[in-house]
Amino acid sequence: MALTLSTRTGDATGATADALIVPVHAGEDPAGGLDGRFDGQLAPTLAAAGFAGKRGEATAVPTFGRLPARWLVLAGLGAREGVDGEALRRAYGAAVKRARDGGARTVAAQLPADAGADAVRAIVEGLSLALYRFTRYKTGEAATPAKAVAAIELWGAAEVPQDAIERGRAVAGGVALARDLVNTISDDKTPPQIAEWARRVADEAGLACRVLDRAQLAAGGYNAILTVGKGSAAEPRLVELTYTPPDGAAAAKTVALVGKTITFDSGGLDLKTAEGMYTMKTDMGGGASVLGAMQAVAALRPGVKVIGILTAAENMPSGTAMRPSDVVTALNGKTFEIGNTDAEGRMVLADAVTHAARAGADEIIDLATLTGAKMVALGATAVAAVGNDQALTDRFLAAAAAAGERVWPLPTWDEYKDQLKSDIADLKSTGGRGAGAITAGLFIGEFVEGKPWLHLDIAGSAATDQDGPYTPKGGTGVMVRALLRYLEDAGR
Ligand code: BES
Ligand code: MN
Ligand code: ZN
């Protein structure tokens, strides 16, 4: 069920849609200037009910024939001076769900009078993302819910920029793909299945795609990935997708996006608890966001070359599984001792970032559901960043903020690296009790071959157990918007 988006110029009040969305600001008329249509009854009723147009607040009012639309949905933007992209995403996202709950199939949405291209893009993102649903494992009526919005008209005071709509749709499509991947069960996304999925995405988007299977990984010396995968009946894969700008010679630089793609993390022989294991189908959230971003990159066409890399492996306990205390020689020749088989993410990423450096990346950004320690430090609210290049970190933080996604940097002082010493190998994969999110990141940094690098720990942020204004329960597609904004800025 594809959502149709169209544009109109003028006042949406007279639109013949099932629901009309009108933006309102905190501290101003809560009825959005439509009080006159309701005999002066609407504003006081809304005020009495406590609706104040706060950021992300939405309320639906039946119109009883006062307007062509059956429902009037008021979308709160908060105070006028504080309106940013995130306020728009939340307000229109919350509002369109109210419209859907009211049974609306068609929606007319009035844009704020001053909405520019960035605002329109954010609104399209909010509308599309809020309507996301995952029904793959439902049957009957639940598989195709009766309440569904099929078409949205965007009404602008001036002509609505088409490019902004297309960009917003591309971004939302990338986020939705990442959500689908995370929500899919591990039995349907084994490493070979992930590789096939990525190949389909690449073919449809017009991206180059290369898959290294187990034999090729062995021949190439990708021992860290192979070691993680060897406890599973499903073979590991390394997937590489490449986007080249339309005028290839003009590429400003090459950015590699590397996603941890553990299709299920049981912990291995250092087995997780039942509670800790239950959510571990989401341990490929990094790879999901990379694949989602790559699909959107093909539509956004930034002026940089982008290499997307997924390290698909399943971490299982078995007679062929890796052992704690085993020593592995990674792709770049460094040896490390396995401190705990549940620290598998940094292992697959070690080989993958070396692969990225050798593939010609000028800078490397890795995304990983890497540590429980990140959850303790920042919760699900923010993503943790660890890097070796302040300029890259600063650029990414700015892009994430512009995209409405929260990222917070962690320190990387040398003392933390000392925690990764091993008695018998170059490194140990675990760094002991303290600063777990930092030492995990710094371990990956040992394999980037001196390239500018930024690690994003998305543990706890790749999936949510709470419905948000435009993010339903399940996979979130975290960092897809930040990555895309970063790549667009880098190519300007
Ligand atoms: N995939 C987990 C991290 C994780 C935990 C992500 C909870 C999302 C929610 C990772 O592979 C892991 O198990 N990390 C261990 C590392 C430890 C053994 C050094 C952890 O954080 O406990
Ligand atoms: Mn683990
Ligand atoms: Zn893991």
Side-chain angles (χ1 to χ4, degrees):
M1 186 229 27
L3 174 69
T4 304
L5 281 179
S6 58
T7 62
R8 304 286 292 269
T9 306
D11 179 0
T13 311
T16 53
D18 297 330
L20 167 68
I21 295 176
V22 173
V24 295
H25 291 97
E28 300 179 21
D29 175 13
L34 294 171
D35 206 32
R37 300 294 198 101
F38 295 85
D39 304 327
Q41 294 296 305
L42 183 53
T45 304
L46 288 168
F51 177 79
K54 283 186 291 213
R55 196 178 163 93
E57 192 185 10
T59 192
V61 182
T63 61
F64 300 120
R66 304 298 181 102
L67 295 171
R70 195 166 358 115
W71 290 98
L72 169 62
V73 188
L74 298 155
L77 294 177
R80 188 176 286 272
E81 54 283 4
V83 176
D84 56 8
E86 186 58 10
L88 295 166
R89 255 177 238 108
R90 289 187 187 188
Y92 283 83
V96 80
K97 282 194 296 181
R98 292 302 166 90
R100 182 179 70 189
D101 292 347
R105 291 195 65 76
T106 59
V107 172
Q110 183 76 57
L111 302 177
D114 58 353
D118 258 10
V120 171
R121 171 169 165 168
I123 289 166
V124 170
E125 289 172 2
L127 291 168
S128 317
L129 292 175
L131 295 175
Y132 173 86
R133 266 195 293 227
F134 184 74
T135 55
R136 178 168 172 173
Y137 301 108
K138 298 277 192 189
T139 65
E141 259 175 48
T144 44
K147 287 182 179 177
V149 173
I152 303 176
E153 277 178 355
L154 298 174
W155 287 73
E159 202 178 322
V160 185
Q162 202 57 42
D163 181 63
I165 293 180
E166 274 151 30
R167 285 181 176 270
R169 294 209 75 151
V171 172
V175 174
L177 170 57
R179 290 177 179 179
D180 281 346
L181 282 153
V182 169
N183 290 335
T184 297
I185 63 164
S186 295
D187 207 37
D188 288 333
K189 59 178 178 193
T190 62
Q193 289 171 312
I194 284 279
E196 284 316 306
W197 197 333
R199 212 187 268 286
R200 274 199 309 278
V201 170
D203 287 349
E204 276 163 30
L207 300 167
C209 178
R210 192 157 73 101
V211 176
L212 301 185
D213 65 15
R214 201 172 68 100
Q216 290 165 308
L217 291 169
Y222 295 75
N223 296 317
I225 295 178
L226 289 166
T227 299
V228 170
K230 72 184 185 169
S232 169
E235 288 186 6
R237 297 281 188 271
L238 185 137
V239 185
E240 180 193 273
L241 291 86
T242 307
Y243 159 80
T244 311
D247 179 2
K253 61 182 166 190
T254 300
V255 182
L257 310 179
V258 181
K260 169 177 171 181
T261 312
I262 296 298
T263 63
F264 189 76
D265 182 11
S266 70
L269 291 177
D270 289 318
L271 201 65
K272 287 186 181 295
T273 60
E275 198 197 354
M277 202 186 298
Y278 180 71
T279 58
M280 283 300 124
K281 74 168 186 184
T282 69
D283 209 22
M284 35 59 75
S289 288
V290 168
L291 190 54
M294 290 307 293
Q295 175 183 277
V297 158
L300 298 176
R301 306 214 151 276
V304 284
K305 185 172 168 182
V306 190
I307 307 176
I309 298 166
L310 279 66
T311 62
E314 187 180 36
N315 188 21
M316 296 293 257
S318 78
T320 60
M322 62 173 161
R323 308 165 190 85
S325 82
D326 278 353
V327 173
V328 181
T329 305
L331 179 60
N332 75 343
K334 286 193 189 179
T335 61
F336 66 85
E337 180 191 356
I338 298 171
N340 186 308
T341 64
D342 202 6
E344 84 298 335
R346 63 199 78 183
M347 293 177 65
V348 295
L349 288 166
D351 280 355
V353 294
T354 302
H355 176 91
R358 293 187 181 171
D362 297 308
E363 54 191 45
I364 302 169
I365 301 175
D366 83 72
L367 290 83
T369 48
L370 204 64
T371 64
K374 177 268 169 181
M375 276 293 285
V376 174
L378 299 178
T381 303
V383 166
V386 172
N388 65 2
D389 186 281
Q390 194 60 49
L392 167 57
T393 302
D394 289 345
R395 289 197 304 276
F396 191 83
L397 292 179
E405 295 204 273
R406 288 205 168 96
V407 182
W408 202 253
L410 300 179
T412 57
W413 296 301
D414 286 342
E415 286 84 344
Y416 293 121
K417 258 184 211 162
D418 295 341
Q419 292 180 229
L420 293 170
K421 285 189 174 140
S422 163
D423 291 335
I424 68 161
D426 298 339
L427 292 161
K428 192 171 179 181
S429 68
T430 52
R433 278 229 160 266
I438 298 173
T439 55
L442 290 176
F443 180 84
I444 299 166
E446 291 296 309
F447 301 88
V448 297
E449 309 274 75
K451 298 286 181 194
W453 152 81
L454 185 67
H455 157 70
L456 301 168
D457 193 334
I458 59 170
S461 308
T464 176
D465 54 12
Q466 275 170 359
D467 283 325
Y470 58 86
T471 308
K473 272 183 208 172
T476 59
V478 66
M479 291 292 103
V480 171
R481 289 183 350 242
L483 289 171
L484 293 170
R485 187 63 76 153
Y486 178 80
L487 296 169
E488 289 176 284
D489 290 350
R492 269 192 249 278

